[in-house]
């Protein structure tokens, strides 16, 4: 149980285009989803936290107009990188947490999406 | 949430126990100790967590000192596939769920 998937696993795009990354909880309902970013040889950095049906809460220094997060259902969250630039190239990882007082009330991570902006 | 301190890297021979230490001297009474690992180019994988008692599951054992200021993750019989970055994280749990904040972790290399 507790499987989180991401799509695509990797994407290459041109500078100035927008890219959407999907995160799905396959066998549980995710009341909260998290988006992390990881640059080479660095640790994961939390970008934002979203609760289903609510606006995302962004960490300090993360541009909410550039990284659009939608958590419209209990099994799906999307991260859209708008007007992507080479400095946005990174490994994006989502995490999902299920209902309180259940086995799924922990953070389970997806496999990550490698974004390369040319 | 309290910060943690881990060694930058460790080596272990295949088949031997890997003992990964973590210091969390500022941990609060309601904070749990979590361990995750990240194999290269993959998402983090949950290993184990505990509050004050020692814990064991099919992957590892977690030993927490009585004063809770430090802990040790034990992989009883390390294999080459255990080579990864191991993160020790302290956060609030239960109904006051805190965010998982990742530090630099320990790079564990298991060699033949």
């Amino acid at each position: 149980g507790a499987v989180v998937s991401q799509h695509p696993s990797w994407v290459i795009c041109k500078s100035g285009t927008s890219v959407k990354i999907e995160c799905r909880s396959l066998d549980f309902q995710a009341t909260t989803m998290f988006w992390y970013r990881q640059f080479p040889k660095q640790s994961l950095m939390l970008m934002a936290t979203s609760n289903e049906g609510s606006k995302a809460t962004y960490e300090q220094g993360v541009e909410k107009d550039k990284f659009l997060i939608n958590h419209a259902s209990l099994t799906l969250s999307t991260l859209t990188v708008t007007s992507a630039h080479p400095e946005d190239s990174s490994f994006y990882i989502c995490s999902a947490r299920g209902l309180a007082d259940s086995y799924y009330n922990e953070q389970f991570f997806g496999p990550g999406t490698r974004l390369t902006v040319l | 949430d309290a910060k943690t301190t881990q060694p930058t890297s460790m080596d272990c021979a295949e088949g031997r126990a890997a003992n990964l230490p973590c210091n969390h001297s500022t941990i609060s009474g309601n904070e749990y100790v979590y361990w995750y690992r990240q194999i290269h180019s993959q998402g983090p994988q949950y290993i184990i967590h505990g509050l004050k008692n020692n814990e064991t599951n099919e992957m590892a054992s977690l030993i927490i000192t009585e004063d809770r200021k430090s802990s040790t993750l034990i992989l009883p019989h390390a294999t080459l596939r255990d080579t990864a970055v191991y993160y020790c994280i302290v956060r609030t749990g239960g109904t006051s769920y805190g965010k998982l904040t990742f530090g630099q972790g320990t790079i564990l290399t298991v060699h033949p």
Side-chain angles (χ1 to χ4, degrees), chain A residues 1-5 23-33 73-76 95-99 102-110:
Chain A
V3 178
V4 178
S5 70
C23 176
R24 294 181 185 273
S25 56
L26 299 185
D27 51 0
F28 68 101
Q29 294 181 322
T31 52
T32 307
M33 286 190 170
S73 79
L74 286 173
T75 59
L76 173 65
S95 175
R97 189 177 84 218
L99 297 171
S102 75
Y103 166 81
Y104 299 106
N105 188 27
E106 296 296 346
Q107 277 188 240
F108 300 96
F109 287 81

Side-chain angles (χ1 to χ4, degrees), chain A residues 39-90:
Chain A
F39 292 108
K41 301 195 181 217
Q42 294 187 23
S43 187
L44 286 79
M45 292 186 59
L46 180 64
M47 299 174 67
T49 303
S50 72
N51 292 302
E52 185 264 338
S54 303
K55 289 185 177 180
T57 301
Y58 291 79
E59 295 298 302
Q60 191 171 10
V62 178
E63 301 174 59
K64 62 181 180 181
D65 294 330
K66 181 169 184 61
F67 299 99
L68 302 179
I69 292 172
N70 183 279
H71 189 174
S73 79
L74 286 173
T75 59
L76 173 65
S77 175
T78 60
L79 167 68
T80 301
V81 183
T82 63
S83 187
H85 291 285
E87 57 266 30
D88 298 322
S89 298
S90 188

Side-chain angles (χ1 to χ4, degrees), chain B residues 55-74:
Chain B
E55 302 288 343
T56 295
N57 62 22
E58 64 278 4
M59 289 183 68
S61 295
L62 173 61
I63 308 298
I64 303 174
T65 57
E66 194 169 339
D67 62 8
R68 302 208 321 125
K69 293 185 177 182
S70 66
S71 60
T72 301
L73 177 74
I74 301 173

